[in-house]
Amino acid sequence: MSATAQINPVRYGKLLSKTLPRPVRDEQDNQRMTKLLLELDERTDLSVEEEQLAEMLTLLIEDFEAKRYPLPAVPPVEALKALMEERGLRHRDIWPALGNKGVTSEILNGKRSISKAQAKKLAVFLKVPIELFI
């Protein structure tokens, strides 16, 4: 959507009255909102108003699912290993961020925890929130 695109209040109002988006309170609401979002997501010719509706539905669904299905806390080294696997990275790819091959091996083998300074370096290197490693 263009930053200069203007929403037509009449069209947007009609779209809202047709879809009736509201906070998701239960699984039935979640399924309804998800169905609406998927219908919009399958199209490539969305109007500005439909793009706004899709964004709102996404936020409503994400809010419900974050509260209803919270992700468990993951140990920092497990988060690092998961990121490495997801991105196809190996030991040799991340040790420069930590500055030492031996320390990197100790961290990956669970013999050493990730320090706050190392967490900051990893977060910058991997472009993820530092909280993953603390």
Side-chain angles (χ1 to χ4, degrees), residues 2 15 18 22 34 37 53 61 63:
S2 169
L15 186 58
K18 178 182 172 190
R22 60 181 180 270
T34 301
L37 181 58
L53 175 63
I61 293 165
D63 181 63

Side-chain angles (χ1 to χ4, degrees), residues 52-66:
Q52 287 295 303
L53 175 63
E55 185 176 343
M56 182 188 340
L57 292 172
T58 300
L59 293 171
L60 292 169
I61 293 165
E62 285 177 350
D63 181 63
F64 172 77
E65 291 182 353

Side-chain angles (χ1 to χ4, degrees), residues 109-122:
N109 291 322
K111 295 179 181 176
R112 179 187 290 234
S113 60
I114 299 172
S115 71
K116 289 183 182 179
Q118 292 165 334
K120 185 175 181 178
K121 291 176 184 177
L122 285 170

Side-chain angles (χ1 to χ4, degrees), residues 48-103:
V48 173
E49 296 79 15
E50 289 168 325
E51 287 179 1
Q52 287 295 303
L53 175 63
E55 185 176 343
M56 182 188 340
L57 292 172
T58 300
L59 293 171
L60 292 169
I61 293 165
E62 285 177 350
D63 181 63
F64 172 77
E65 291 182 353
K67 291 175 185 171
R68 183 74 175 257
Y69 310 109
L71 296 175
V74 176
V77 71
E78 295 306 318
L80 175 58
K81 288 178 181 179
L83 283 168
M84 289 174 63
E85 182 177 340
E86 177 183 297
R87 297 176 183 191
L89 300 174
R90 300 167 109 180
H91 177 278
R92 69 174 181 238
D93 300 317
I94 64 159
W95 81 257
L98 296 172
N100 184 307
K101 291 179 187 180
V103 169

